[in-house]
Amino acid sequence: MRVTAALRISKRREVLRMDESKEHTAGTKPSARHQIGSILLASADPKALRAWYERAFDVHPDPDGFLPFGTVDLLITARDDVAPMNPESGRVIINIHVDDAHATALHLSAIGARWLAQLEYRRPDEAWFGTVIDPDGNYVQIIELTDAYWAARRLRHKQAGLSVLEVASVATRLPAQDLDRARRFYADKLGLLPVESRPGGLRYECGAGGFALFESSGRPSGEHTQMAWQVDDIEAVVAELRNRGVVFEEYDMPGLRTIDGVAEVAGNYPSYGRVGERAAWFHDSEGNLLAVGQALGA
């Protein structure tokens, strides 16, 4: 079962980086970038509640205890200031987008989920909606967006003067002459496993966003950065990747000089509230030039 977050928001690691920007003084306008990193559900019995979500939506916690729902995490934790049952269930509703609402509804019924509202097609939303109640009394709404919904959404955005691409998600595509070799490199050297595969392609998801490898007879030039990860501690990341066998590039040219694989790059986009970054580059098994970067504060 594939589930995605109703809100296309980034994961908590993005927020960890955003926390650095909060160092601005009182009265200083904050960075223009604001992101919700995760949703926290407080519970008097977090173990039971977490188990319900795992079973209901086939998700499993990461090492930090976060349940991944597409690009948003759900954290269920104990608090001693909450009641065993939510007294105002309608105040906050968790929306979970699914590919097949009917199949999801059958699964939820099979595990004994309590229905607040059975699955129904709603107009003018042009989508399937159904709401169940989790063990703590929180409302969880499953939603399947139809082609009619997306057509109406595109029309609304067009009428508002927005480009169709301005509101679209983006993803990187990287060529691979040998897809099996590339799969091994990304698994062994980078610790990344595909979340989905098909003939001629592999799809990966990271903390925020994703990328795909596709089989191609062509080769990348390897002379420009094709994809980069933003990290919190570049030295730690470089050290870990080196231990896995990644070889970092060394550069010594006007405006770019690496020291032990890491360079300081001046300048950044003002909306990020940064003045530059530290960056390191390496090639994957297919010749794609990849990078890791750590933003530098003002």
Side-chain angles (χ1 to χ4, degrees), residues 67-137:
L67 296 172
F69 281 87
T71 54
V72 63
D73 289 338
L74 179 65
L75 178 64
I76 299 173
T77 187
R79 289 182 64 97
D80 57 11
D81 58 351
V82 296
M85 295 294 291
N86 185 351
E88 294 185 316
S89 301
R91 183 177 290 271
V92 176
I93 300 175
I94 298 176
N95 288 341
I96 298 179
H97 288 193
V98 300
D99 291 330
D100 189 332
H102 289 84
T104 303
L106 287 173
H107 173 72
L108 290 170
S109 294
I111 67 170
R114 294 183 296 151
W115 286 93
L116 175 71
Q118 293 289 332
L119 191 66
E120 63 176 352
Y121 191 82
R122 297 183 188 173
R123 290 188 172 91
D125 299 301
E126 305 298 346
W128 290 93
F129 289 84
T131 306
V132 294
I133 306 173
D134 74 16
D136 280 19

